[in-house]
Amino acid sequence: MSDDQSVQSFETRAIHAGNTADPLTGAVVPPIYQVSTYKQDGVGGLRGGYEYSRSANPTRTALEENLAALEGGRRGLAFASGLAAEDCLLRTVLHPGAHVVIPNDAYGGTFRLFAKVVQRWGVDFSVADTSDVDAVRAAVNDRTKVIWVETPSNPLLGITDITALAEVAHGAGARLVVDNTFASPYLQQPLALGADVVVHSTTKYMGGHSDVVGGALVAADAELGEELAYHQNAMGAVAGPFDAWLVLRGIKTLAVRMDRHSENATRIAEMLTSHPKVGQVLYPGLPEHPGHELAAKQMKAFGGMVSFRVAGGEAAAVEVCNRAKLFTLGESLGGVESLIEHPGRMTHASAAGSPLEVPADLVRLSVGIESAEDLLADLRQALG
């Protein structure tokens, strides 16, 4: 990230970082370089360092520069999905015999990656409540190389003290990795709080329109960034140019969208707390949330994700999901449209029977940017 970008506001960096005008035509939007290979000016004579689009592509470069600027990191890397980004990171920093601490309420796909894939490499992991610093410290051993954090977490909206866990990780010679997907870099800056690497599913808030699948890593350290870039090329799960362009386009409106997501989610969470058919509301913007003060300290606002437990158990929760109309029943999150899902049967089904199993009566909302009044009315009728 250049010095001039470091002093610019987030909103300005979101629109301009990596987005240089096309030198040939003056087009203000970077072109989609839908190309696999590049003409060389003699053997080894590369134009701008481009030779093959798995290794580098100008559209992906624009996105990667933008990602680094937004997270305040030294190197940004764009991948074909969030899990592809996670896989590259783990293969880069872990080795057989290594140990990782993961959250007790991690995303189901992340848990599956550790439990069904990473363990086969000879890597162990422990599960801990990452909102409890002492619990994490107790889970660390002399083989721990990574402490993995989601904050807010998916789907229980737990809040983790990033600065405190960075101290725990670094004291043990490990790295702190923060999945910043729920917050986005607009609401939270993990690298500034001491994290070593930020992970994103750019499918979510960064893209923002439910029309692209992608992932990202941003490293605080230039040397680690180079190692990740080497493995990105060697493993090959890169973002395609059109996908990179879509994410780059979505990022330009990230700030204004996150403001609206947060406003709508706050109103919905407040309504749900007083509804007789709701047993518990999980939203860090509520004063009664155990992580509220910490979230207010390390986040700009509280985000667009709300989870709640339905009185009546699993059957009632499923019925709420089925009765919703404006809230679309579907997986994923972070788009302009509102989504509703039953995590136990959908996004977190892979965690069933494990320490990460989610409550059967839980419903998760991805609150969009529609009219708040319309969303409230839909939830009221869905709850009956």
Side-chain angles (χ1 to χ4, degrees), residues 103-111 149-159 179 181-182 201 204 282 305-307 332-333 341 343 347-348 351 356 358 362 364-365:
N104 64 351
D105 59 346
Y107 163 55
T110 298
F111 171 73
V149 168
E150 294 177 13
T151 183
S153 65
N154 181 7
L156 300 181
L157 282 302
I159 301 298
D179 185 334
T181 297
F182 267 27
S201 169
K204 313 304 194 298
L282 306 174
M305 302 301 298
V306 178
S307 292
S332 197
L333 58 102
E341 68 130 355
T347 53
H348 290 69
L356 281 74
V358 300
L362 190 74
R364 191 190 74 179
L365 305 175

PDB file of all heavy atoms in Angstrom, residues 103-111 149-159 179 181-182 201 204 282 305-307 332-333 341 343 347-348 351 356 358 362 364-365:
ATOM      1  N   PRO A 103     -12.069 -21.816  16.626  1.00  0.00           N
ATOM      2  CA  PRO A 103     -13.197 -21.422  17.478  1.00  0.00           C
ATOM      3  C   PRO A 103     -14.197 -22.565  17.663  1.00  0.00           C
ATOM      4  O   PRO A 103     -14.343 -23.435  16.803  1.00  0.00           O
ATOM      5  CB  PRO A 103     -13.851 -20.272  16.700  1.00  0.00           C
ATOM      6  CG  PRO A 103     -12.864 -19.864  15.658  1.00  0.00           C
ATOM      7  CD  PRO A 103     -12.053 -21.075  15.356  1.00  0.00           C
ATOM      8  N   ASN A 104     -14.909 -22.510  18.778  1.00  0.00           N
ATOM      9  CA  ASN A 104     -15.938 -23.519  19.024  1.00  0.00           C
ATOM     10  C   ASN A 104     -17.240 -23.207  18.294  1.00  0.00           C
ATOM     11  O   ASN A 104     -18.217 -23.937  18.429  1.00  0.00           O
ATOM     12  CB  ASN A 104     -16.204 -23.676  20.526  1.00  0.00           C
ATOM     13  CG  ASN A 104     -16.772 -22.419  21.166  1.00  0.00           C
ATOM     14  OD1 ASN A 104     -16.830 -21.359  20.555  1.00  0.00           O
ATOM     15  ND2 ASN A 104     -17.181 -22.539  22.423  1.00  0.00           N
ATOM     16  N   ASP A 105     -17.261 -22.127  17.523  1.00  0.00           N
ATOM     17  CA  ASP A 105     -18.439 -21.789  16.711  1.00  0.00           C
ATOM     18  C   ASP A 105     -18.018 -21.309  15.328  1.00  0.00           C
ATOM     19  O   ASP A 105     -18.575 -20.369  14.774  1.00  0.00           O
ATOM     20  CB  ASP A 105     -19.317 -20.749  17.410  1.00  0.00           C
ATOM     21  CG  ASP A 105     -18.577 -19.448  17.713  1.00  0.00           C
ATOM     22  OD1 ASP A 105     -17.333 -19.444  17.632  1.00  0.00           O
ATOM     23  OD2 ASP A 105     -19.236 -18.440  18.024  1.00  0.00           O
ATOM     24  N   ALA A 106     -17.013 -21.986  14.769  1.00  0.00           N
ATOM     25  CA  ALA A 106     -16.503 -21.608  13.446  1.00  0.00           C
ATOM     26  C   ALA A 106     -17.500 -21.969  12.350  1.00  0.00           C
ATOM     27  O   ALA A 106     -18.388 -22.808  12.526  1.00  0.00           O
ATOM     28  CB  ALA A 106     -15.171 -22.297  13.171  1.00  0.00           C
ATOM     29  N   TYR A 107     -17.327 -21.333  11.210  1.00  0.00           N
ATOM     30  CA  TYR A 107     -18.102 -21.660  10.015  1.00  0.00           C
ATOM     31  C   TYR A 107     -17.960 -23.145   9.702  1.00  0.00           C
ATOM     32  O   TYR A 107     -16.865 -23.720   9.795  1.00  0.00           O
ATOM     33  CB  TYR A 107     -17.612 -20.804   8.853  1.00  0.00           C
ATOM     34  CG  TYR A 107     -18.022 -21.277   7.475  1.00  0.00           C
ATOM     35  CD1 TYR A 107     -19.371 -21.484   7.161  1.00  0.00           C
ATOM     36  CD2 TYR A 107     -17.072 -21.518   6.498  1.00  0.00           C
ATOM     37  CE1 TYR A 107     -19.746 -21.930   5.909  1.00  0.00           C
ATOM     38  CE2 TYR A 107     -17.441 -21.949   5.232  1.00  0.00           C
ATOM     39  CZ  TYR A 107     -18.775 -22.161   4.953  1.00  0.00           C
ATOM     40  OH  TYR A 107     -19.140 -22.604   3.707  1.00  0.00           O
ATOM     41  N   GLY A 108     -19.060 -23.790   9.313  1.00  0.00           N
ATOM     42  CA  GLY A 108     -19.049 -25.222   9.070  1.00  0.00           C
ATOM     43  C   GLY A 108     -18.047 -25.652   8.020  1.00  0.00           C
ATOM     44  O   GLY A 108     -17.415 -26.720   8.138  1.00  0.00           O
ATOM     45  N   GLY A 109     -17.874 -24.858   6.964  1.00  0.00           N
ATOM     46  CA  GLY A 109     -16.915 -25.202   5.927  1.00  0.00           C
ATOM     47  C   GLY A 109     -15.484 -25.155   6.426  1.00  0.00           C
ATOM     48  O   GLY A 109     -14.644 -25.984   6.036  1.00  0.00           O
ATOM     49  N   THR A 110     -15.190 -24.209   7.312  1.00  0.00           N
ATOM     50  CA  THR A 110     -13.858 -24.131   7.909  1.00  0.00           C
ATOM     51  C   THR A 110     -13.613 -25.342   8.803  1.00  0.00           C
ATOM     52  O   THR A 110     -12.532 -25.953   8.760  1.00  0.00           O
ATOM     53  CB  THR A 110     -13.711 -22.837   8.719  1.00  0.00           C
ATOM     54  OG1 THR A 110     -13.846 -21.711   7.842  1.00  0.00           O
ATOM     55  CG2 THR A 110     -12.358 -22.763   9.411  1.00  0.00           C
ATOM     56  N   PHE A 111     -14.601 -25.695   9.608  1.00  0.00           N
ATOM     57  CA  PHE A 111     -14.468 -26.886  10.457  1.00  0.00           C
ATOM     58  C   PHE A 111     -14.248 -28.132   9.605  1.00  0.00           C
ATOM     59  O   PHE A 111     -13.388 -28.973   9.919  1.00  0.00           O
ATOM     60  CB  PHE A 111     -15.710 -27.053  11.324  1.00  0.00           C
ATOM     61  CG  PHE A 111     -15.742 -28.365  12.069  1.00  0.00           C
ATOM     62  CD1 PHE A 111     -14.900 -28.582  13.147  1.00  0.00           C
ATOM     63  CD2 PHE A 111     -16.590 -29.383  11.668  1.00  0.00           C
ATOM     64  CE1 PHE A 111     -14.901 -29.798  13.820  1.00  0.00           C
ATOM     65  CE2 PHE A 111     -16.602 -30.601  12.338  1.00  0.00           C
ATOM     66  CZ  PHE A 111     -15.760 -30.805  13.416  1.00  0.00           C
ATOM     67  N   VAL A 149      -9.457 -17.266  14.222  1.00  0.00           N
ATOM     68  CA  VAL A 149     -10.532 -16.505  14.853  1.00  0.00           C
ATOM     69  C   VAL A 149     -11.552 -16.056  13.820  1.00  0.00           C
ATOM     70  O   VAL A 149     -11.188 -15.670  12.703  1.00  0.00           O
ATOM     71  CB  VAL A 149      -9.950 -15.253  15.573  1.00  0.00           C
ATOM     72  CG1 VAL A 149     -11.047 -14.290  15.982  1.00  0.00           C
ATOM     73  CG2 VAL A 149      -9.143 -15.670  16.792  1.00  0.00           C
ATOM     74  N   GLU A 150     -12.820 -16.123  14.180  1.00  0.00           N
ATOM     75  CA  GLU A 150     -13.888 -15.430  13.457  1.00  0.00           C
ATOM     76  C   GLU A 150     -14.502 -14.437  14.433  1.00  0.00           C
ATOM     77  O   GLU A 150     -14.891 -14.807  15.533  1.00  0.00           O
ATOM     78  CB  GLU A 150     -14.988 -16.401  13.010  1.00  0.00           C
ATOM     79  CG  GLU A 150     -14.585 -17.416  11.984  1.00  0.00           C
ATOM     80  CD  GLU A 150     -15.731 -18.375  11.670  1.00  0.00           C
ATOM     81  OE1 GLU A 150     -16.884 -18.095  12.058  1.00  0.00           O
ATOM     82  OE2 GLU A 150     -15.455 -19.409  11.039  1.00  0.00           O
ATOM     83  N   THR A 151     -14.598 -13.187  14.047  1.00  0.00           N
ATOM     84  CA  THR A 151     -15.245 -12.207  14.909  1.00  0.00           C
ATOM     85  C   THR A 151     -15.841 -11.091  14.071  1.00  0.00           C
ATOM     86  O   THR A 151     -15.095 -10.418  13.363  1.00  0.00           O
ATOM     87  CB  THR A 151     -14.281 -11.664  15.987  1.00  0.00           C
ATOM     88  OG1 THR A 151     -14.979 -10.753  16.843  1.00  0.00           O
ATOM     89  CG2 THR A 151     -13.056 -10.976  15.393  1.00  0.00           C
ATOM     90  N   PRO A 152     -17.186 -10.950  14.070  1.00  0.00           N
ATOM     91  CA  PRO A 152     -18.165 -11.826  14.707  1.00  0.00           C
ATOM     92  C   PRO A 152     -18.135 -13.222  14.082  1.00  0.00           C
ATOM     93  O   PRO A 152     -17.803 -13.385  12.921  1.00  0.00           O
ATOM     94  CB  PRO A 152     -19.503 -11.130  14.428  1.00  0.00           C
ATOM     95  CG  PRO A 152     -19.157  -9.707  14.148  1.00  0.00           C
ATOM     96  CD  PRO A 152     -17.823  -9.752  13.466  1.00  0.00           C
ATOM     97  N   SER A 153     -18.519 -14.207  14.898  1.00  0.00           N
ATOM     98  CA  SER A 153     -18.438 -15.591  14.455  1.00  0.00           C
ATOM     99  C   SER A 153     -19.709 -16.019  13.731  1.00  0.00           C
ATOM    100  O   SER A 153     -20.754 -15.376  13.829  1.00  0.00           O
ATOM    101  CB  SER A 153     -18.187 -16.501  15.658  1.00  0.00           C
ATOM    102  OG  SER A 153     -19.292 -16.481  16.546  1.00  0.00           O
ATOM    103  N   ASN A 154     -19.582 -17.110  13.016  1.00  0.00           N
ATOM    104  CA  ASN A 154     -20.661 -17.622  12.166  1.00  0.00           C
ATOM    105  C   ASN A 154     -21.082 -19.003  12.673  1.00  0.00           C
ATOM    106  O   ASN A 154     -20.288 -19.939  12.612  1.00  0.00           O
ATOM    107  CB  ASN A 154     -20.130 -17.736  10.731  1.00  0.00           C
ATOM    108  CG  ASN A 154     -21.157 -18.244   9.752  1.00  0.00           C
ATOM    109  OD1 ASN A 154     -22.324 -18.408  10.063  1.00  0.00           O
ATOM    110  ND2 ASN A 154     -20.708 -18.504   8.529  1.00  0.00           N
ATOM    111  N   PRO A 155     -22.302 -19.174  13.203  1.00  0.00           N
ATOM    112  CA  PRO A 155     -23.455 -18.266  13.133  1.00  0.00           C
ATOM    113  C   PRO A 155     -23.862 -17.661  14.470  1.00  0.00           C
ATOM    114  O   PRO A 155     -24.922 -17.048  14.570  1.00  0.00           O
ATOM    115  CB  PRO A 155     -24.557 -19.216  12.679  1.00  0.00           C
ATOM    116  CG  PRO A 155     -24.259 -20.474  13.438  1.00  0.00           C
ATOM    117  CD  PRO A 155     -22.744 -20.551  13.534  1.00  0.00           C
ATOM    118  N   LEU A 156     -23.041 -17.829  15.531  1.00  0.00           N
ATOM    119  CA  LEU A 156     -23.479 -17.427  16.871  1.00  0.00           C
ATOM    120  C   LEU A 156     -23.095 -15.996  17.235  1.00  0.00           C
ATOM    121  O   LEU A 156     -23.369 -15.545  18.340  1.00  0.00           O
ATOM    122  CB  LEU A 156     -22.934 -18.410  17.912  1.00  0.00           C
ATOM    123  CG  LEU A 156     -23.393 -19.861  17.726  1.00  0.00           C
ATOM    124  CD1 LEU A 156     -22.810 -20.745  18.822  1.00  0.00           C
ATOM    125  CD2 LEU A 156     -24.918 -19.955  17.729  1.00  0.00           C
ATOM    126  N   LEU A 157     -22.437 -15.281  16.325  1.00  0.00           N
ATOM    127  CA  LEU A 157     -22.120 -13.865  16.490  1.00  0.00           C
ATOM    128  C   LEU A 157     -21.314 -13.593  17.755  1.00  0.00           C
ATOM    129  O   LEU A 157     -21.502 -12.576  18.433  1.00  0.00           O
ATOM    130  CB  LEU A 157     -23.399 -13.006  16.485  1.00  0.00           C
ATOM    131  CG  LEU A 157     -24.060 -12.697  15.140  1.00  0.00           C
ATOM    132  CD1 LEU A 157     -23.121 -11.985  14.188  1.00  0.00           C
ATOM    133  CD2 LEU A 157     -24.620 -13.937  14.487  1.00  0.00           C
ATOM    134  N   GLY A 158     -20.389 -14.513  18.054  1.00  0.00           N
ATOM    135  CA  GLY A 158     -19.485 -14.285  19.168  1.00  0.00           C
ATOM    136  C   GLY A 158     -18.427 -13.250  18.816  1.00  0.00           C
ATOM    137  O   GLY A 158     -18.068 -13.074  17.650  1.00  0.00           O
ATOM    138  N   ILE A 159     -17.912 -12.558  19.817  1.00  0.00           N
ATOM    139  CA  ILE A 159     -16.912 -11.509  19.614  1.00  0.00           C
ATOM    140  C   ILE A 159     -15.616 -11.892  20.316  1.00  0.00           C
ATOM    141  O   ILE A 159     -15.619 -12.298  21.485  1.00  0.00           O
ATOM    142  CB  ILE A 159     -17.409 -10.154  20.155  1.00  0.00           C
ATOM    143  CG1 ILE A 159     -18.712  -9.739  19.449  1.00  0.00           C
ATOM    144  CG2 ILE A 159     -16.337  -9.076  19.974  1.00  0.00           C
ATOM    145  CD1 ILE A 159     -18.580  -9.525  17.948  1.00  0.00           C
ATOM    146  N   ASP A 179     -10.706 -14.367  10.345  1.00  0.00           N
ATOM    147  CA  ASP A 179     -11.697 -14.367   9.275  1.00  0.00           C
ATOM    148  C   ASP A 179     -12.561 -13.127   9.479  1.00  0.00           C
ATOM    149  O   ASP A 179     -13.345 -13.048  10.431  1.00  0.00           O
ATOM    150  CB  ASP A 179     -12.544 -15.640   9.344  1.00  0.00           C
ATOM    151  CG  ASP A 179     -13.522 -15.764   8.184  1.00  0.00           C
ATOM    152  OD1 ASP A 179     -13.916 -14.719   7.614  1.00  0.00           O
ATOM    153  OD2 ASP A 179     -13.916 -16.897   7.863  1.00  0.00           O
ATOM    154  N   THR A 181     -14.814 -11.883   7.371  1.00  0.00           N
ATOM    155  CA  THR A 181     -15.895 -11.882   6.393  1.00  0.00           C
ATOM    156  C   THR A 181     -17.135 -11.178   6.907  1.00  0.00           C
ATOM    157  O   THR A 181     -17.746 -10.360   6.195  1.00  0.00           O
ATOM    158  CB  THR A 181     -16.251 -13.320   5.980  1.00  0.00           C
ATOM    159  OG1 THR A 181     -15.112 -13.916   5.351  1.00  0.00           O
ATOM    160  CG2 THR A 181     -17.420 -13.350   5.013  1.00  0.00           C
ATOM    161  N   PHE A 182     -17.569 -11.480   8.136  1.00  0.00           N
ATOM    162  CA  PHE A 182     -18.803 -10.898   8.660  1.00  0.00           C
ATOM    163  C   PHE A 182     -18.690  -9.381   8.832  1.00  0.00           C
ATOM    164  O   PHE A 182     -19.646  -8.651   8.584  1.00  0.00           O
ATOM    165  CB  PHE A 182     -19.158 -11.534  10.010  1.00  0.00           C
ATOM    166  CG  PHE A 182     -20.090 -12.712   9.912  1.00  0.00           C
ATOM    167  CD1 PHE A 182     -20.142 -13.500   8.773  1.00  0.00           C
ATOM    168  CD2 PHE A 182     -20.918 -13.047  10.972  1.00  0.00           C
ATOM    169  CE1 PHE A 182     -20.999 -14.589   8.687  1.00  0.00           C
ATOM    170  CE2 PHE A 182     -21.778 -14.135  10.902  1.00  0.00           C
ATOM    171  CZ  PHE A 182     -21.822 -14.908   9.763  1.00  0.00           C
ATOM    172  N   SER A 201     -14.143 -14.426   2.616  1.00  0.00           N
ATOM    173  CA  SER A 201     -14.928 -14.922   1.490  1.00  0.00           C
ATOM    174  C   SER A 201     -15.437 -13.675   0.789  1.00  0.00           C
ATOM    175  O   SER A 201     -16.350 -12.998   1.281  1.00  0.00           O
ATOM    176  CB  SER A 201     -16.094 -15.782   1.962  1.00  0.00           C
ATOM    177  OG  SER A 201     -16.972 -16.038   0.870  1.00  0.00           O
ATOM    178  N   LYS A 204     -19.146 -12.717  -0.167  1.00  0.00           N
ATOM    179  CA  LYS A 204     -20.097 -12.126   0.761  1.00  0.00           C
ATOM    180  C   LYS A 204     -20.137 -10.596   0.614  1.00  0.00           C
ATOM    181  O   LYS A 204     -20.457 -10.084  -0.449  1.00  0.00           O
ATOM    182  CB  LYS A 204     -19.773 -12.580   2.174  1.00  0.00           C
ATOM    183  CG  LYS A 204     -19.519 -14.091   2.308  1.00  0.00           C
ATOM    184  CD  LYS A 204     -20.655 -14.957   1.799  1.00  0.00           C
ATOM    185  CE  LYS A 204     -20.553 -16.420   2.233  1.00  0.00           C
ATOM    186  NZ  LYS A 204     -19.378 -17.162   1.756  1.00  0.00           N
ATOM    187  N   LEU A 282     -29.082 -13.040  19.019  1.00  0.00           N
ATOM    188  CA  LEU A 282     -27.621 -12.955  19.017  1.00  0.00           C
ATOM    189  C   LEU A 282     -27.206 -11.864  18.030  1.00  0.00           C
ATOM    190  O   LEU A 282     -27.227 -12.062  16.815  1.00  0.00           O
ATOM    191  CB  LEU A 282     -27.020 -14.304  18.614  1.00  0.00           C
ATOM    192  CG  LEU A 282     -27.500 -15.509  19.439  1.00  0.00           C
ATOM    193  CD1 LEU A 282     -26.944 -16.807  18.862  1.00  0.00           C
ATOM    194  CD2 LEU A 282     -27.107 -15.359  20.892  1.00  0.00           C
ATOM    195  N   MET A 305     -25.449  -9.223  10.191  1.00  0.00           N
ATOM    196  CA  MET A 305     -25.824 -10.597  10.520  1.00  0.00           C
ATOM    197  C   MET A 305     -26.520 -10.664  11.875  1.00  0.00           C
ATOM    198  O   MET A 305     -26.023 -10.116  12.859  1.00  0.00           O
ATOM    199  CB  MET A 305     -24.593 -11.494  10.522  1.00  0.00           C
ATOM    200  CG  MET A 305     -23.837 -11.530   9.214  1.00  0.00           C
ATOM    201  SD  MET A 305     -24.835 -12.103   7.809  1.00  0.00           S
ATOM    202  CE  MET A 305     -25.238 -13.772   8.333  1.00  0.00           C
ATOM    203  N   VAL A 306     -27.650 -11.324  11.899  1.00  0.00           N
ATOM    204  CA  VAL A 306     -28.420 -11.509  13.135  1.00  0.00           C
ATOM    205  C   VAL A 306     -28.825 -12.978  13.213  1.00  0.00           C
ATOM    206  O   VAL A 306     -29.312 -13.544  12.228  1.00  0.00           O
ATOM    207  CB  VAL A 306     -29.695 -10.641  13.149  1.00  0.00           C
ATOM    208  CG1 VAL A 306     -30.503 -10.890  14.423  1.00  0.00           C
ATOM    209  CG2 VAL A 306     -29.359  -9.162  13.000  1.00  0.00           C
ATOM    210  N   SER A 307     -28.640 -13.594  14.365  1.00  0.00           N
ATOM    211  CA  SER A 307     -29.144 -14.943  14.603  1.00  0.00           C
ATOM    212  C   SER A 307     -30.100 -14.905  15.781  1.00  0.00           C
ATOM    213  O   SER A 307     -29.958 -14.069  16.681  1.00  0.00           O
ATOM    214  CB  SER A 307     -28.001 -15.926  14.885  1.00  0.00           C
ATOM    215  OG  SER A 307     -27.199 -16.144  13.738  1.00  0.00           O
ATOM    216  N   SER A 332     -25.325 -18.725   2.112  1.00  0.00           N
ATOM    217  CA  SER A 332     -24.490 -17.566   1.853  1.00  0.00           C
ATOM    218  C   SER A 332     -25.030 -16.353   2.603  1.00  0.00           C
ATOM    219  O   SER A 332     -25.974 -16.443   3.408  1.00  0.00           O
ATOM    220  CB  SER A 332     -24.347 -17.269   0.355  1.00  0.00           C
ATOM    221  OG  SER A 332     -23.243 -16.404   0.146  1.00  0.00           O
ATOM    222  N   LEU A 333     -24.437 -15.196   2.342  1.00  0.00           N
ATOM    223  CA  LEU A 333     -24.767 -13.983   3.090  1.00  0.00           C
ATOM    224  C   LEU A 333     -24.074 -12.801   2.435  1.00  0.00           C
ATOM    225  O   LEU A 333     -23.282 -12.950   1.505  1.00  0.00           O
ATOM    226  CB  LEU A 333     -24.301 -14.124   4.549  1.00  0.00           C
ATOM    227  CG  LEU A 333     -22.803 -14.403   4.756  1.00  0.00           C
ATOM    228  CD1 LEU A 333     -22.043 -13.141   5.173  1.00  0.00           C
ATOM    229  CD2 LEU A 333     -22.590 -15.493   5.795  1.00  0.00           C
ATOM    230  N   GLU A 341     -31.877 -18.602   6.858  1.00  0.00           N
ATOM    231  CA  GLU A 341     -31.503 -20.008   6.770  1.00  0.00           C
ATOM    232  C   GLU A 341     -31.561 -20.667   8.139  1.00  0.00           C
ATOM    233  O   GLU A 341     -31.580 -19.995   9.182  1.00  0.00           O
ATOM    234  CB  GLU A 341     -30.104 -20.174   6.176  1.00  0.00           C
ATOM    235  CG  GLU A 341     -28.994 -19.663   7.066  1.00  0.00           C
ATOM    236  CD  GLU A 341     -27.862 -20.673   7.251  1.00  0.00           C
ATOM    237  OE1 GLU A 341     -27.947 -21.815   6.770  1.00  0.00           O
ATOM    238  OE2 GLU A 341     -26.884 -20.298   7.932  1.00  0.00           O
ATOM    239  N   PRO A 343     -29.144 -22.863  10.113  1.00  0.00           N
ATOM    240  CA  PRO A 343     -27.755 -23.319  10.064  1.00  0.00           C
ATOM    241  C   PRO A 343     -27.578 -24.808  10.335  1.00  0.00           C
ATOM    242  O   PRO A 343     -26.751 -25.472   9.695  1.00  0.00           O
ATOM    243  CB  PRO A 343     -27.067 -22.473  11.141  1.00  0.00           C
ATOM    244  CG  PRO A 343     -27.909 -21.244  11.246  1.00  0.00           C
ATOM    245  CD  PRO A 343     -29.316 -21.713  11.017  1.00  0.00           C
ATOM    246  N   THR A 347     -25.953 -24.435   6.341  1.00  0.00           N
ATOM    247  CA  THR A 347     -24.537 -24.070   6.262  1.00  0.00           C
ATOM    248  C   THR A 347     -23.650 -24.789   7.265  1.00  0.00           C
ATOM    249  O   THR A 347     -22.442 -24.929   7.046  1.00  0.00           O
ATOM    250  CB  THR A 347     -24.363 -22.555   6.475  1.00  0.00           C
ATOM    251  OG1 THR A 347     -25.016 -22.178   7.693  1.00  0.00           O
ATOM    252  CG2 THR A 347     -24.948 -21.782   5.309  1.00  0.00           C
ATOM    253  N   HIS A 348     -24.208 -25.229   8.393  1.00  0.00           N
ATOM    254  CA  HIS A 348     -23.389 -25.855   9.423  1.00  0.00           C
ATOM    255  C   HIS A 348     -23.729 -27.322   9.633  1.00  0.00           C
ATOM    256  O   HIS A 348     -23.428 -27.900  10.685  1.00  0.00           O
ATOM    257  CB  HIS A 348     -23.515 -25.072  10.730  1.00  0.00           C
ATOM    258  CG  HIS A 348     -22.859 -23.726  10.670  1.00  0.00           C
ATOM    259  ND1 HIS A 348     -23.350 -22.698   9.889  1.00  0.00           N
ATOM    260  CD2 HIS A 348     -21.738 -23.244  11.259  1.00  0.00           C
ATOM    261  CE1 HIS A 348     -22.560 -21.645  10.013  1.00  0.00           C
ATOM    262  NE2 HIS A 348     -21.585 -21.952  10.829  1.00  0.00           N
ATOM    263  N   ALA A 351     -21.029 -29.732  10.806  1.00  0.00           N
ATOM    264  CA  ALA A 351     -20.586 -29.713  12.204  1.00  0.00           C
ATOM    265  C   ALA A 351     -21.484 -30.538  13.114  1.00  0.00           C
ATOM    266  O   ALA A 351     -21.246 -30.607  14.323  1.00  0.00           O
ATOM    267  CB  ALA A 351     -20.517 -28.275  12.707  1.00  0.00           C
ATOM    268  N   LEU A 356     -18.765 -28.338  17.587  1.00  0.00           N
ATOM    269  CA  LEU A 356     -19.207 -27.106  16.933  1.00  0.00           C
ATOM    270  C   LEU A 356     -20.661 -27.170  16.477  1.00  0.00           C
ATOM    271  O   LEU A 356     -21.144 -26.275  15.780  1.00  0.00           O
ATOM    272  CB  LEU A 356     -18.320 -26.788  15.727  1.00  0.00           C
ATOM    273  CG  LEU A 356     -16.961 -26.137  16.014  1.00  0.00           C
ATOM    274  CD1 LEU A 356     -15.980 -27.153  16.604  1.00  0.00           C
ATOM    275  CD2 LEU A 356     -16.375 -25.510  14.762  1.00  0.00           C
ATOM    276  N   VAL A 358     -24.406 -26.538  16.050  1.00  0.00           N
ATOM    277  CA  VAL A 358     -25.157 -25.339  16.411  1.00  0.00           C
ATOM    278  C   VAL A 358     -26.522 -25.738  16.955  1.00  0.00           C
ATOM    279  O   VAL A 358     -27.031 -26.825  16.666  1.00  0.00           O
ATOM    280  CB  VAL A 358     -25.316 -24.399  15.203  1.00  0.00           C
ATOM    281  CG1 VAL A 358     -23.952 -23.959  14.688  1.00  0.00           C
ATOM    282  CG2 VAL A 358     -26.113 -25.052  14.087  1.00  0.00           C
ATOM    283  N   LEU A 362     -31.915 -22.581  16.014  1.00  0.00           N
ATOM    284  CA  LEU A 362     -31.276 -21.346  15.565  1.00  0.00           C
ATOM    285  C   LEU A 362     -31.669 -20.986  14.136  1.00  0.00           C
ATOM    286  O   LEU A 362     -31.679 -21.839  13.248  1.00  0.00           O
ATOM    287  CB  LEU A 362     -29.754 -21.479  15.648  1.00  0.00           C
ATOM    288  CG  LEU A 362     -28.946 -20.196  15.431  1.00  0.00           C
ATOM    289  CD1 LEU A 362     -29.053 -19.285  16.644  1.00  0.00           C
ATOM    290  CD2 LEU A 362     -27.475 -20.524  15.147  1.00  0.00           C
ATOM    291  N   ARG A 364     -30.567 -18.020  11.173  1.00  0.00           N
ATOM    292  CA  ARG A 364     -29.593 -16.972  10.852  1.00  0.00           C
ATOM    293  C   ARG A 364     -30.129 -16.076   9.755  1.00  0.00           C
ATOM    294  O   ARG A 364     -30.642 -16.561   8.736  1.00  0.00           O
ATOM    295  CB  ARG A 364     -28.262 -17.590  10.400  1.00  0.00           C
ATOM    296  CG  ARG A 364     -27.115 -16.585  10.292  1.00  0.00           C
ATOM    297  CD  ARG A 364     -25.898 -17.181   9.610  1.00  0.00           C
ATOM    298  NE  ARG A 364     -26.104 -17.319   8.166  1.00  0.00           N
ATOM    299  CZ  ARG A 364     -25.194 -17.794   7.316  1.00  0.00           C
ATOM    300  NH1 ARG A 364     -24.020 -18.197   7.773  1.00  0.00           N
ATOM    301  NH2 ARG A 364     -25.458 -17.893   6.031  1.00  0.00           N
ATOM    302  N   LEU A 365     -29.991 -14.769   9.963  1.00  0.00           N
ATOM    303  CA  LEU A 365     -30.416 -13.780   8.982  1.00  0.00           C
ATOM    304  C   LEU A 365     -29.210 -13.049   8.409  1.00  0.00           C
ATOM    305  O   LEU A 365     -28.313 -12.640   9.158  1.00  0.00           O
ATOM    306  CB  LEU A 365     -31.341 -12.733   9.613  1.00  0.00           C
ATOM    307  CG  LEU A 365     -32.593 -13.216  10.338  1.00  0.00           C
ATOM    308  CD1 LEU A 365     -33.300 -12.018  10.981  1.00  0.00           C
ATOM    309  CD2 LEU A 365     -33.528 -13.944   9.384  1.00  0.00           C
TER     310      LEU A 365
END
